[in-house]
Coordinates of all heavy atoms in Angstrom, one line a residue:
P52 N 11.3 10.9 2.3 CA 12.5 10.6 3.1 C 12.0 10.2 4.6 O 10.8 10.2 4.9 CB 13.2 11.9 3.1 CG 12.2 12.9 2.9 CD 11.1 12.3 2.1
T63 N 6.5 24.7 6.5 CA 6.4 23.4 6.1 C 7.4 23.0 5.0 O 7.5 23.7 4.0 CB 4.9 23.1 5.5 OG1 5.0 21.8 4.8 CG2 4.4 24.2 4.6
T130 N -12.3 20.0 15.8 CA -11.2 19.8 16.8 C -11.2 21.0 17.7 O -11.6 22.1 17.4 CB -9.8 19.7 16.1 OG1 -8.9 19.3 17.0 CG2 -9.4 21.0 15.4
A177 N -5.0 35.4 23.3 CA -3.9 36.3 23.5 C -4.4 37.4 24.5 O -3.6 37.9 25.3 CB -3.4 36.9 22.2
L264 N -2.2 13.4 16.0 CA -3.2 13.4 14.9 C -2.6 12.7 13.7 O -3.4 12.0 13.0 CB -3.6 14.9 14.6 CG -4.4 15.6 15.7 CD1 -4.7 17.0 15.4 CD2 -5.7 14.8 16.0

Side-chain angles (χ1 to χ4, degrees):
T63 167
T130 188
L264 292 174

